[in-house]
Amino acid sequence: MADFFGFNTVMPGRQGGKIALNLEEQQELDRQVQKYALETGEDFEIYDYGETYDNLADDLEETRDDLNDETFGGGGAEAGTDFDFASNTRQIAPALKKEEELYIQQNDHAGGRRSSFASLWENDAANQKDNFNKGLPEPSQAASSIWGSFGNTAAMGGVDLGGRSAAGYAHDPVFGVGTFALSRSAAFGGNQPSLEEIEAQLLRTAGTQPQMSMQQERKVMSLEEVEAALMNINGGRPIYSEAMIAEQEEKRARLEKRRSERLARQAETSKHNGLMTQSDKDFINRIQISQLVTDDPYADDFYCQVYTALRNRHLQQMGIPGNSMDSGSGSNDGRRRGNVRTEQRMQQQVQRIVSDAKRNPKRTNVTVEGALGKIAVNSVLNPRQLLQVSKRGSINDVSAGNSPKPPSPGPVSTKSHTVLGWIENVYTYVLALEQMRRQQPPPPRMGEEELAREAIQQWNEEYSVLARKMWNELRITVPIGIVHPHPFISILNYSKGKKVIPRVLRHLLPEQTLTLLTMLVANFESLNVCKSEVYADVQGNQEIELFMSTIVPPLLGFVSEAPFRIVVGLLALFIERNNMIWVARSKPGLAFLTLFLSRAEILKQGQGNYPIPDEREIQQWNELYNRLFSQLQTHFSGLFMPKATMAEDVHVWRFLAAMAVGASVEQQHVLVTEVREQVLDNVIAAQTSRAAPEKAAQRIGNVNLFLHALGLDASQVSVPAM
Amino acid sequence: MDDHAPLESAGIEEPLDLVRLSLDERIYVKLRGDRELRGKLHAYDGHLNMVLGDVEETITVVDVNEETLEEVIRIVKRNCEMLFVRGDGVILVSPPSRA
């Protein structure tokens, strides 16, 4: 031990029981201490006992120190390897781990937690940003870890670190909490801060402006939601009933087995323990989490959220308590309890990353000085870009003088691409509107009416702007005749165009809905679901079913509240603009006709909340009805699809019933004559067929729909003898 | 006409916008490893990870007879109700050929 960090460690000779140095040696020592102090930034004055030395050690027995070398691992030869930190750490890894565990246990009781990150985060925002930019852990943090490890190393290997190990840096976790508690004590009255307090403090430091606090609060909520959702996914199902206790037992056994397996695995890999300090781990954690973090978890985890909501509702419908977002699950309780601390820490990390990402959104990678390579700060939403495709703006710049548009490849493909593009735009706006609805400002609270009113007004404006854009994108207001088929009908001819309609209607004003319905009715013929050949194949039938399940129900709801005048107007337009024979052969067309007829009948009888229509309106309606009847006359039996099963012609019977209700006696006669065949066929089939009774009942039921409207019943039909 | 967006604008600015147009439509996907998929595109992301429905997968296998060194090309087909495609294997995405 001739030389240690430049210190002369050779013990000076003893003179008169007091350590006496000659002047030269004294000066040399002072110089070295000062030099070391400069290098390390350490203030050695506090360690300088100066004249306070009270000679108490004079009486100590100073002999029999021949075994010192063995005890303390002396001998200059080993000095060279004492600074091989990695191998030292590896050697003492088990001890470190044990200490860490012990520490965690202690802290579990104390309600505290090991949080070297917490200490990292209490720096001011600028400092945080700086650290993030450099992508480096805080220097002092790293140093503390090193010193922490050294403390242990010193204890094990007998290496004295110039008195540093005595300064209370026992090891790194303690150091972390130590500083943490210390710096906090001022703010929290010397008590160990609770987690809530820490969180609140973090919020305060993160959001430097007070007006941001509301937003911050909301963000925290959403983060919690995401986490809850994550936990939920991990969490499996709760235990529902006592009947499943056996299963629970089995589960427990399985868990036990898994635990032992895990322990075995841990033992196998334990030789690598302790290679990384806590700050290393935190650093890597942060990089990994930053890839996943998002500012708007609800929108980004939309499918997960909706799926969870739907599943919970489904479970509740079955009488099972829903697996609510944050409820624990039976199988994972043990692990979850252990994870609470980790999750909380993770949550805080996530929050920090979000605010960092907000501060510099443009940055896509960082180069750490002296490091090999770059650290990409891409996220799931922003994957590494390999192709640099210039945006449209720059293309326009290049070709500004020439033709404004590149020639289209062909009329057909342009056409379908254009319509598909419209549909996608509609979806974009619908999604934005739905997102806005979720972020609707809350109703005003006491004392904040003014603020809330402003927020609500702003929200309303933004909402109506978006709704207007969506409305334009639907192209309903494009005059008829410019393009054929009408753009709106082209949208409806795609199945995704049909699917979006119910979602669109929720954001429309009543008069817009009426315009939509008018446009649909006026162009009904050109709908692809109206073409009879679509019944031929499976896909066509799917399209019809889609139309019936997406577009008809909401419009049915609308019409069933419409006044008589509007119903008359719509039916007039329907008859005027479309070939009735053609339209009535299609299921959607028949559905709309039935809808108008039955609504008119209800209003004529004075039901609903509208007054009974006046004489003139009734007159108008009767003319319209007669026109429809005369157009369809001799085609009523043709409405039945050839080879249709009975379930499929319910809508025809329903339509006939709607016709029959409003028909005059002669018209009723015509109706009965025309569909006599079908009535008889069904009754005979029901009475004689070997089919299941419920099928027979259905046939009779279908026929009765029509016959009851005429005041008849299927039982009155006499079946001619075969 | 001032009231609504121009008829022609489809807002295609980058390649993925074209893929977006095929959402909910049947597409053809060519994959590494002599695989082809035909199915309905439910979802995709920037890595071209995709979720397809009603998929028909076609795998072309070349069997080499060890004695005669003869190459026999075999086509294996299978159907999946729902399929997740990892984007790193995607070579080509297109609407199905109209033929």
Side-chain angles (χ1 to χ4, degrees), chain A residues 383 418 422 424 428 468 472 475 496 499, chain B residues 3 5-7 14 20-21 23-25 47:
Chain A
T418 318
W422 298 338
E424 287 311 318
T428 307
R468 185 87 210 156
N472 291 339
R475 290 170 168 75
K496 51 182 163 180
K499 283 177 201 161
Chain B
D3 215 18
L7 281 174
E14 57 174 54
R20 190 180 174 192
L21 295 185
L23 276 172
D24 203 44
E25 301 279 306
H47 305 277

mmCIF file with all atom_site columns, all heavy atoms in Angstrom, chain A residues 383 418 422 424 428 468 472 475 496 499, chain B residues 3 5-7 14 20-21 23-25 47:
data_model
loop_
_atom_site.group_PDB
_atom_site.id
_atom_site.type_symbol
_atom_site.label_atom_id
_atom_site.label_alt_id
_atom_site.label_comp_id
_atom_site.label_asym_id
_atom_site.label_entity_id
_atom_site.label_seq_id
_atom_site.pdbx_PDB_ins_code
_atom_site.Cartn_x
_atom_site.Cartn_y
_atom_site.Cartn_z
_atom_site.occupancy
_atom_site.B_iso_or_equiv
_atom_site.pdbx_formal_charge
_atom_site.auth_seq_id
_atom_site.auth_comp_id
_atom_site.auth_asym_id
_atom_site.auth_atom_id
_atom_site.pdbx_PDB_model_num
ATOM 1   N N   . PRO A 1 383 ? -42.852 5.529  -36.188 1.00 0.00 ? 383 PRO A N   1
ATOM 2   C CA  . PRO A 1 383 ? -41.772 4.571  -36.405 1.00 0.00 ? 383 PRO A CA  1
ATOM 3   C C   . PRO A 1 383 ? -40.640 5.193  -37.216 1.00 0.00 ? 383 PRO A C   1
ATOM 4   O O   . PRO A 1 383 ? -40.821 6.238  -37.849 1.00 0.00 ? 383 PRO A O   1
ATOM 5   C CB  . PRO A 1 383 ? -42.450 3.450  -37.180 1.00 0.00 ? 383 PRO A CB  1
ATOM 6   C CG  . PRO A 1 383 ? -43.632 4.068  -37.807 1.00 0.00 ? 383 PRO A CG  1
ATOM 7   C CD  . PRO A 1 383 ? -44.066 5.168  -36.916 1.00 0.00 ? 383 PRO A CD  1
ATOM 8   N N   . THR A 1 418 ? -61.392 8.180  -55.748 1.00 0.00 ? 418 THR A N   1
ATOM 9   C CA  . THR A 1 418 ? -61.958 9.430  -55.251 1.00 0.00 ? 418 THR A CA  1
ATOM 10  C C   . THR A 1 418 ? -63.015 9.149  -54.203 1.00 0.00 ? 418 THR A C   1
ATOM 11  O O   . THR A 1 418 ? -62.993 9.737  -53.120 1.00 0.00 ? 418 THR A O   1
ATOM 12  C CB  . THR A 1 418 ? -62.586 10.211 -56.420 1.00 0.00 ? 418 THR A CB  1
ATOM 13  O OG1 . THR A 1 418 ? -61.704 10.126 -57.527 1.00 0.00 ? 418 THR A OG1 1
ATOM 14  C CG2 . THR A 1 418 ? -62.783 11.648 -56.055 1.00 0.00 ? 418 THR A CG2 1
ATOM 15  N N   . TRP A 1 422 ? -63.178 10.080 -50.247 1.00 0.00 ? 422 TRP A N   1
ATOM 16  C CA  . TRP A 1 422 ? -64.237 10.802 -49.526 1.00 0.00 ? 422 TRP A CA  1
ATOM 17  C C   . TRP A 1 422 ? -64.615 10.040 -48.270 1.00 0.00 ? 422 TRP A C   1
ATOM 18  O O   . TRP A 1 422 ? -64.760 10.616 -47.197 1.00 0.00 ? 422 TRP A O   1
ATOM 19  C CB  . TRP A 1 422 ? -65.490 10.936 -50.385 1.00 0.00 ? 422 TRP A CB  1
ATOM 20  C CG  . TRP A 1 422 ? -65.321 11.706 -51.645 1.00 0.00 ? 422 TRP A CG  1
ATOM 21  C CD1 . TRP A 1 422 ? -64.345 12.630 -51.913 1.00 0.00 ? 422 TRP A CD1 1
ATOM 22  C CD2 . TRP A 1 422 ? -66.145 11.627 -52.803 1.00 0.00 ? 422 TRP A CD2 1
ATOM 23  N NE1 . TRP A 1 422 ? -64.529 13.124 -53.181 1.00 0.00 ? 422 TRP A NE1 1
ATOM 24  C CE2 . TRP A 1 422 ? -65.618 12.529 -53.752 1.00 0.00 ? 422 TRP A CE2 1
ATOM 25  C CE3 . TRP A 1 422 ? -67.278 10.887 -53.143 1.00 0.00 ? 422 TRP A CE3 1
ATOM 26  C CZ2 . TRP A 1 422 ? -66.183 12.713 -55.003 1.00 0.00 ? 422 TRP A CZ2 1
ATOM 27  C CZ3 . TRP A 1 422 ? -67.850 11.073 -54.380 1.00 0.00 ? 422 TRP A CZ3 1
ATOM 28  C CH2 . TRP A 1 422 ? -67.309 11.967 -55.311 1.00 0.00 ? 422 TRP A CH2 1
ATOM 29  N N   . GLU A 1 424 ? -62.927 7.964  -46.546 1.00 0.00 ? 424 GLU A N   1
ATOM 30  C CA  . GLU A 1 424 ? -61.900 8.046  -45.504 1.00 0.00 ? 424 GLU A CA  1
ATOM 31  C C   . GLU A 1 424 ? -61.942 9.398  -44.810 1.00 0.00 ? 424 GLU A C   1
ATOM 32  O O   . GLU A 1 424 ? -61.765 9.491  -43.597 1.00 0.00 ? 424 GLU A O   1
ATOM 33  C CB  . GLU A 1 424 ? -60.514 7.793  -46.088 1.00 0.00 ? 424 GLU A CB  1
ATOM 34  C CG  . GLU A 1 424 ? -60.259 6.337  -46.455 1.00 0.00 ? 424 GLU A CG  1
ATOM 35  C CD  . GLU A 1 424 ? -60.618 5.377  -45.340 1.00 0.00 ? 424 GLU A CD  1
ATOM 36  O OE1 . GLU A 1 424 ? -60.317 5.672  -44.167 1.00 0.00 ? 424 GLU A OE1 1
ATOM 37  O OE2 . GLU A 1 424 ? -61.224 4.330  -45.636 1.00 0.00 ? 424 GLU A OE2 1
ATOM 38  N N   . THR A 1 428 ? -62.453 10.229 -40.942 1.00 0.00 ? 428 THR A N   1
ATOM 39  C CA  . THR A 1 428 ? -61.546 11.075 -40.175 1.00 0.00 ? 428 THR A CA  1
ATOM 40  C C   . THR A 1 428 ? -62.327 12.063 -39.333 1.00 0.00 ? 428 THR A C   1
ATOM 41  O O   . THR A 1 428 ? -62.063 12.222 -38.135 1.00 0.00 ? 428 THR A O   1
ATOM 42  C CB  . THR A 1 428 ? -60.616 11.847 -41.131 1.00 0.00 ? 428 THR A CB  1
ATOM 43  O OG1 . THR A 1 428 ? -59.989 10.908 -41.988 1.00 0.00 ? 428 THR A OG1 1
ATOM 44  C CG2 . THR A 1 428 ? -59.579 12.623 -40.364 1.00 0.00 ? 428 THR A CG2 1
ATOM 45  N N   . ARG A 1 468 ? -69.528 20.480 -39.643 1.00 0.00 ? 468 ARG A N   1
ATOM 46  C CA  . ARG A 1 468 ? -69.758 21.105 -40.949 1.00 0.00 ? 468 ARG A CA  1
ATOM 47  C C   . ARG A 1 468 ? -68.832 20.466 -41.986 1.00 0.00 ? 468 ARG A C   1
ATOM 48  O O   . ARG A 1 468 ? -69.244 20.160 -43.105 1.00 0.00 ? 468 ARG A O   1
ATOM 49  C CB  . ARG A 1 468 ? -69.463 22.595 -40.806 1.00 0.00 ? 468 ARG A CB  1
ATOM 50  C CG  . ARG A 1 468 ? -69.754 23.430 -42.008 1.00 0.00 ? 468 ARG A CG  1
ATOM 51  C CD  . ARG A 1 468 ? -71.200 23.880 -42.019 1.00 0.00 ? 468 ARG A CD  1
ATOM 52  N NE  . ARG A 1 468 ? -71.657 24.030 -43.398 1.00 0.00 ? 468 ARG A NE  1
ATOM 53  C CZ  . ARG A 1 468 ? -72.937 23.955 -43.750 1.00 0.00 ? 468 ARG A CZ  1
ATOM 54  N NH1 . ARG A 1 468 ? -73.863 23.712 -42.860 1.00 0.00 ? 468 ARG A NH1 1
ATOM 55  N NH2 . ARG A 1 468 ? -73.289 24.132 -45.009 1.00 0.00 ? 468 ARG A NH2 1
ATOM 56  N N   . ASN A 1 472 ? -69.882 18.431 -45.351 1.00 0.00 ? 472 ASN A N   1
ATOM 57  C CA  . ASN A 1 472 ? -69.434 18.733 -46.712 1.00 0.00 ? 472 ASN A CA  1
ATOM 58  C C   . ASN A 1 472 ? -68.808 17.514 -47.374 1.00 0.00 ? 472 ASN A C   1
ATOM 59  O O   . ASN A 1 472 ? -68.957 17.299 -48.564 1.00 0.00 ? 472 ASN A O   1
ATOM 60  C CB  . ASN A 1 472 ? -68.415 19.873 -46.681 1.00 0.00 ? 472 ASN A CB  1
ATOM 61  C CG  . ASN A 1 472 ? -69.053 21.190 -46.300 1.00 0.00 ? 472 ASN A CG  1
ATOM 62  O OD1 . ASN A 1 472 ? -70.275 21.342 -46.444 1.00 0.00 ? 472 ASN A OD1 1
ATOM 63  N ND2 . ASN A 1 472 ? -68.266 22.111 -45.788 1.00 0.00 ? 472 ASN A ND2 1
ATOM 64  N N   . ARG A 1 475 ? -70.975 15.133 -49.230 1.00 0.00 ? 475 ARG A N   1
ATOM 65  C CA  . ARG A 1 475 ? -71.391 15.605 -50.561 1.00 0.00 ? 475 ARG A CA  1
ATOM 66  C C   . ARG A 1 475 ? -72.867 15.388 -50.841 1.00 0.00 ? 475 ARG A C   1
ATOM 67  O O   . ARG A 1 475 ? -73.272 15.087 -51.952 1.00 0.00 ? 475 ARG A O   1
ATOM 68  C CB  . ARG A 1 475 ? -70.548 14.917 -51.633 1.00 0.00 ? 475 ARG A CB  1
ATOM 69  C CG  . ARG A 1 475 ? -69.123 15.413 -51.591 1.00 0.00 ? 475 ARG A CG  1
ATOM 70  C CD  . ARG A 1 475 ? -68.206 14.603 -52.441 1.00 0.00 ? 475 ARG A CD  1
ATOM 71  N NE  . ARG A 1 475 ? -66.939 15.280 -52.594 1.00 0.00 ? 475 ARG A NE  1
ATOM 72  C CZ  . ARG A 1 475 ? -66.025 15.339 -51.649 1.00 0.00 ? 475 ARG A CZ  1
ATOM 73  N NH1 . ARG A 1 475 ? -66.229 14.756 -50.504 1.00 0.00 ? 475 ARG A NH1 1
ATOM 74  N NH2 . ARG A 1 475 ? -64.894 15.981 -51.852 1.00 0.00 ? 475 ARG A NH2 1
ATOM 75  N N   . LYS A 1 496 ? -68.269 0.197  -46.337 1.00 0.00 ? 496 LYS A N   1
ATOM 76  C CA  . LYS A 1 496 ? -67.815 1.067  -45.240 1.00 0.00 ? 496 LYS A CA  1
ATOM 77  C C   . LYS A 1 496 ? -68.539 2.390  -45.264 1.00 0.00 ? 496 LYS A C   1
ATOM 78  O O   . LYS A 1 496 ? -68.662 3.054  -44.237 1.00 0.00 ? 496 LYS A O   1
ATOM 79  C CB  . LYS A 1 496 ? -66.306 1.255  -45.268 1.00 0.00 ? 496 LYS A CB  1
ATOM 80  C CG  . LYS A 1 496 ? -65.717 1.670  -46.578 1.00 0.00 ? 496 LYS A CG  1
ATOM 81  C CD  . LYS A 1 496 ? -64.204 1.770  -46.453 1.00 0.00 ? 496 LYS A CD  1
ATOM 82  C CE  . LYS A 1 496 ? -63.537 1.764  -47.817 1.00 0.00 ? 496 LYS A CE  1
ATOM 83  N NZ  . LYS A 1 496 ? -62.086 1.869  -47.735 1.00 0.00 ? 496 LYS A NZ  1
ATOM 84  N N   . LYS A 1 499 ? -71.604 1.682  -43.367 1.00 0.00 ? 499 LYS A N   1
ATOM 85  C CA  . LYS A 1 499 ? -71.351 1.502  -41.933 1.00 0.00 ? 499 LYS A CA  1
ATOM 86  C C   . LYS A 1 499 ? -71.171 2.826  -41.205 1.00 0.00 ? 499 LYS A C   1
ATOM 87  O O   . LYS A 1 499 ? -71.419 2.921  -40.006 1.00 0.00 ? 499 LYS A O   1
ATOM 88  C CB  . LYS A 1 499 ? -70.095 0.654  -41.724 1.00 0.00 ? 499 LYS A CB  1
ATOM 89  C CG  . LYS A 1 499 ? -70.318 -0.828 -41.960 1.00 0.00 ? 499 LYS A CG  1
ATOM 90  C CD  . LYS A 1 499 ? -69.007 -1.582 -41.803 1.00 0.00 ? 499 LYS A CD  1
ATOM 91  C CE  . LYS A 1 499 ? -69.058 -2.919 -42.504 1.00 0.00 ? 499 LYS A CE  1
ATOM 92  N NZ  . LYS A 1 499 ? -67.694 -3.441 -42.734 1.00 0.00 ? 499 LYS A NZ  1
ATOM 93  N N   . ASP B 2 3   ? -70.038 25.393 -51.245 1.00 0.00 ? 3   ASP B N   1
ATOM 94  C CA  . ASP B 2 3   ? -70.305 24.890 -49.912 1.00 0.00 ? 3   ASP B CA  1
ATOM 95  C C   . ASP B 2 3   ? -69.549 23.613 -49.571 1.00 0.00 ? 3   ASP B C   1
ATOM 96  O O   . ASP B 2 3   ? -69.290 23.328 -48.422 1.00 0.00 ? 3   ASP B O   1
ATOM 97  C CB  . ASP B 2 3   ? -71.815 24.653 -49.787 1.00 0.00 ? 3   ASP B CB  1
ATOM 98  C CG  . ASP B 2 3   ? -72.287 24.965 -48.393 1.00 0.00 ? 3   ASP B CG  1
ATOM 99  O OD1 . ASP B 2 3   ? -71.540 25.655 -47.688 1.00 0.00 ? 3   ASP B OD1 1
ATOM 100 O OD2 . ASP B 2 3   ? -73.376 24.509 -48.024 1.00 0.00 ? 3   ASP B OD2 1
ATOM 101 N N   . ALA B 2 5   ? -66.579 20.427 -50.357 1.00 0.00 ? 5   ALA B N   1
ATOM 102 C CA  . ALA B 2 5   ? -65.218 20.174 -50.819 1.00 0.00 ? 5   ALA B CA  1
ATOM 103 C C   . ALA B 2 5   ? -65.242 19.800 -52.301 1.00 0.00 ? 5   ALA B C   1
ATOM 104 O O   . ALA B 2 5   ? -66.232 19.248 -52.785 1.00 0.00 ? 5   ALA B O   1
ATOM 105 C CB  . ALA B 2 5   ? -64.601 19.046 -50.012 1.00 0.00 ? 5   ALA B CB  1
ATOM 106 N N   . PRO B 2 6   ? -64.173 20.112 -53.005 1.00 0.00 ? 6   PRO B N   1
ATOM 107 C CA  . PRO B 2 6   ? -64.146 19.769 -54.433 1.00 0.00 ? 6   PRO B CA  1
ATOM 108 C C   . PRO B 2 6   ? -64.334 18.269 -54.642 1.00 0.00 ? 6   PRO B C   1
ATOM 109 O O   . PRO B 2 6   ? -63.925 17.455 -53.823 1.00 0.00 ? 6   PRO B O   1
ATOM 110 C CB  . PRO B 2 6   ? -62.755 20.234 -54.880 1.00 0.00 ? 6   PRO B CB  1
ATOM 111 C CG  . PRO B 2 6   ? -61.978 20.435 -53.625 1.00 0.00 ? 6   PRO B CG  1
ATOM 112 C CD  . PRO B 2 6   ? -62.965 20.815 -52.585 1.00 0.00 ? 6   PRO B CD  1
ATOM 113 N N   . LEU B 2 7   ? -64.926 17.936 -55.738 1.00 0.00 ? 7   LEU B N   1
ATOM 114 C CA  . LEU B 2 7   ? -65.272 16.540 -55.987 1.00 0.00 ? 7   LEU B CA  1
ATOM 115 C C   . LEU B 2 7   ? -64.048 15.638 -56.088 1.00 0.00 ? 7   LEU B C   1
ATOM 116 O O   . LEU B 2 7   ? -64.105 14.467 -55.784 1.00 0.00 ? 7   LEU B O   1
ATOM 117 C CB  . LEU B 2 7   ? -66.078 16.437 -57.291 1.00 0.00 ? 7   LEU B CB  1
ATOM 118 C CG  . LEU B 2 7   ? -67.556 16.814 -57.178 1.00 0.00 ? 7   LEU B CG  1
ATOM 119 C CD1 . LEU B 2 7   ? -68.198 16.802 -58.549 1.00 0.00 ? 7   LEU B CD1 1
ATOM 120 C CD2 . LEU B 2 7   ? -68.260 15.843 -56.264 1.00 0.00 ? 7   LEU B CD2 1
ATOM 121 N N   . GLU B 2 14  ? -49.225 10.464 -49.276 1.00 0.00 ? 14  GLU B N   1
ATOM 122 C CA  . GLU B 2 14  ? -48.115 9.531  -49.097 1.00 0.00 ? 14  GLU B CA  1
ATOM 123 C C   . GLU B 2 14  ? -48.620 8.123  -49.375 1.00 0.00 ? 14  GLU B C   1
ATOM 124 O O   . GLU B 2 14  ? -49.842 7.892  -49.423 1.00 0.00 ? 14  GLU B O   1
ATOM 125 C CB  . GLU B 2 14  ? -47.554 9.664  -47.687 1.00 0.00 ? 14  GLU B CB  1
ATOM 126 C CG  . GLU B 2 14  ? -48.606 9.447  -46.608 1.00 0.00 ? 14  GLU B CG  1
ATOM 127 C CD  . GLU B 2 14  ? -47.984 9.441  -45.237 1.00 0.00 ? 14  GLU B CD  1
ATOM 128 O OE1 . GLU B 2 14  ? -47.294 10.406 -44.922 1.00 0.00 ? 14  GLU B OE1 1
ATOM 129 O OE2 . GLU B 2 14  ? -48.194 8.473  -44.499 1.00 0.00 ? 14  GLU B OE2 1
ATOM 130 N N   . ARG B 2 20  ? -54.793 3.191  -46.997 1.00 0.00 ? 20  ARG B N   1
ATOM 131 C CA  . ARG B 2 20  ? -55.973 3.536  -46.195 1.00 0.00 ? 20  ARG B CA  1
ATOM 132 C C   . ARG B 2 20  ? -57.260 3.414  -47.007 1.00 0.00 ? 20  ARG B C   1
ATOM 133 O O   . ARG B 2 20  ? -58.300 3.035  -46.479 1.00 0.00 ? 20  ARG B O   1
ATOM 134 C CB  . ARG B 2 20  ? -55.828 4.965  -45.658 1.00 0.00 ? 20  ARG B CB  1
ATOM 135 C CG  . ARG B 2 20  ? -56.889 5.260  -44.640 1.00 0.00 ? 20  ARG B CG  1
ATOM 136 C CD  . ARG B 2 20  ? -56.833 6.626  -44.067 1.00 0.00 ? 20  ARG B CD  1
ATOM 137 N NE  . ARG B 2 20  ? -58.013 6.787  -43.201 1.00 0.00 ? 20  ARG B NE  1
ATOM 138 C CZ  . ARG B 2 20  ? -58.428 7.921  -42.704 1.00 0.00 ? 20  ARG B CZ  1
ATOM 139 N NH1 . ARG B 2 20  ? -57.767 9.013  -42.953 1.00 0.00 ? 20  ARG B NH1 1
ATOM 140 N NH2 . ARG B 2 20  ? -59.507 7.981  -41.962 1.00 0.00 ? 20  ARG B NH2 1
ATOM 141 N N   . LEU B 2 21  ? -57.156 3.742  -48.280 1.00 0.00 ? 21  LEU B N   1
ATOM 142 C CA  . LEU B 2 21  ? -58.345 3.641  -49.135 1.00 0.00 ? 21  LEU B CA  1
ATOM 143 C C   . LEU B 2 21  ? -58.852 2.205  -49.213 1.00 0.00 ? 21  LEU B C   1
ATOM 144 O O   . LEU B 2 21  ? -60.013 1.968  -49.516 1.00 0.00 ? 21  LEU B O   1
ATOM 145 C CB  . LEU B 2 21  ? -58.037 4.151  -50.538 1.00 0.00 ? 21  LEU B CB  1
ATOM 146 C CG  . LEU B 2 21  ? -57.685 5.632  -50.669 1.00 0.00 ? 21  LEU B CG  1
ATOM 147 C CD1 . LEU B 2 21  ? -57.539 5.995  -52.127 1.00 0.00 ? 21  LEU B CD1 1
ATOM 148 C CD2 . LEU B 2 21  ? -58.743 6.497  -50.021 1.00 0.00 ? 21  LEU B CD2 1
ATOM 149 N N   . LEU B 2 23  ? -59.011 0.120  -46.744 1.00 0.00 ? 23  LEU B N   1
ATOM 150 C CA  . LEU B 2 23  ? -59.602 -0.365 -45.489 1.00 0.00 ? 23  LEU B CA  1
ATOM 151 C C   . LEU B 2 23  ? -60.985 -0.910 -45.767 1.00 0.00 ? 23  LEU B C   1
ATOM 152 O O   . LEU B 2 23  ? -61.748 -0.322 -46.539 1.00 0.00 ? 23  LEU B O   1
ATOM 153 C CB  . LEU B 2 23  ? -59.699 0.780  -44.481 1.00 0.00 ? 23  LEU B CB  1
ATOM 154 C CG  . LEU B 2 23  ? -58.454 1.095  -43.658 1.00 0.00 ? 23  LEU B CG  1
ATOM 155 C CD1 . LEU B 2 23  ? -58.661 2.368  -42.863 1.00 0.00 ? 23  LEU B CD1 1
ATOM 156 C CD2 . LEU B 2 23  ? -58.140 -0.055 -42.715 1.00 0.00 ? 23  LEU B CD2 1
ATOM 157 N N   . ASP B 2 24  ? -61.292 -2.025 -45.136 1.00 0.00 ? 24  ASP B N   1
ATOM 158 C CA  . ASP B 2 24  ? -62.597 -2.655 -45.277 1.00 0.00 ? 24  ASP B CA  1
ATOM 159 C C   . ASP B 2 24  ? -62.833 -3.202 -46.688 1.00 0.00 ? 24  ASP B C   1
ATOM 160 O O   . ASP B 2 24  ? -63.940 -3.574 -47.037 1.00 0.00 ? 24  ASP B O   1
ATOM 161 C CB  . ASP B 2 24  ? -63.720 -1.663 -44.908 1.00 0.00 ? 24  ASP B CB  1
ATOM 162 C CG  . ASP B 2 24  ? -64.986 -2.377 -44.512 1.00 0.00 ? 24  ASP B CG  1
ATOM 163 O OD1 . ASP B 2 24  ? -64.879 -3.349 -43.749 1.00 0.00 ? 24  ASP B OD1 1
ATOM 164 O OD2 . ASP B 2 24  ? -66.066 -1.993 -44.974 1.00 0.00 ? 24  ASP B OD2 1
ATOM 165 N N   . GLU B 2 25  ? -61.800 -3.211 -47.503 1.00 0.00 ? 25  GLU B N   1
ATOM 166 C CA  . GLU B 2 25  ? -61.909 -3.784 -48.835 1.00 0.00 ? 25  GLU B CA  1
ATOM 167 C C   . GLU B 2 25  ? -61.008 -5.019 -48.893 1.00 0.00 ? 25  GLU B C   1
ATOM 168 O O   . GLU B 2 25  ? -60.116 -5.179 -48.064 1.00 0.00 ? 25  GLU B O   1
ATOM 169 C CB  . GLU B 2 25  ? -61.434 -2.780 -49.888 1.00 0.00 ? 25  GLU B CB  1
ATOM 170 C CG  . GLU B 2 25  ? -62.190 -1.475 -49.900 1.00 0.00 ? 25  GLU B CG  1
ATOM 171 C CD  . GLU B 2 25  ? -63.500 -1.580 -50.652 1.00 0.00 ? 25  GLU B CD  1
ATOM 172 O OE1 . GLU B 2 25  ? -63.493 -2.006 -51.809 1.00 0.00 ? 25  GLU B OE1 1
ATOM 173 O OE2 . GLU B 2 25  ? -64.544 -1.274 -50.043 1.00 0.00 ? 25  GLU B OE2 1
ATOM 174 N N   . HIS B 2 47  ? -45.908 0.334  -39.829 1.00 0.00 ? 47  HIS B N   1
ATOM 175 C CA  . HIS B 2 47  ? -44.955 -0.725 -40.148 1.00 0.00 ? 47  HIS B CA  1
ATOM 176 C C   . HIS B 2 47  ? -45.532 -1.683 -41.179 1.00 0.00 ? 47  HIS B C   1
ATOM 177 O O   . HIS B 2 47  ? -44.903 -2.680 -41.505 1.00 0.00 ? 47  HIS B O   1
ATOM 178 C CB  . HIS B 2 47  ? -44.608 -1.525 -38.900 1.00 0.00 ? 47  HIS B CB  1
ATOM 179 C CG  . HIS B 2 47  ? -44.099 -0.706 -37.759 1.00 0.00 ? 47  HIS B CG  1
ATOM 180 N ND1 . HIS B 2 47  ? -42.794 -0.329 -37.677 1.00 0.00 ? 47  HIS B ND1 1
ATOM 181 C CD2 . HIS B 2 47  ? -44.719 -0.192 -36.685 1.00 0.00 ? 47  HIS B CD2 1
ATOM 182 C CE1 . HIS B 2 47  ? -42.630 0.386  -36.566 1.00 0.00 ? 47  HIS B CE1 1
ATOM 183 N NE2 . HIS B 2 47  ? -43.796 0.496  -35.955 1.00 0.00 ? 47  HIS B NE2 1
#
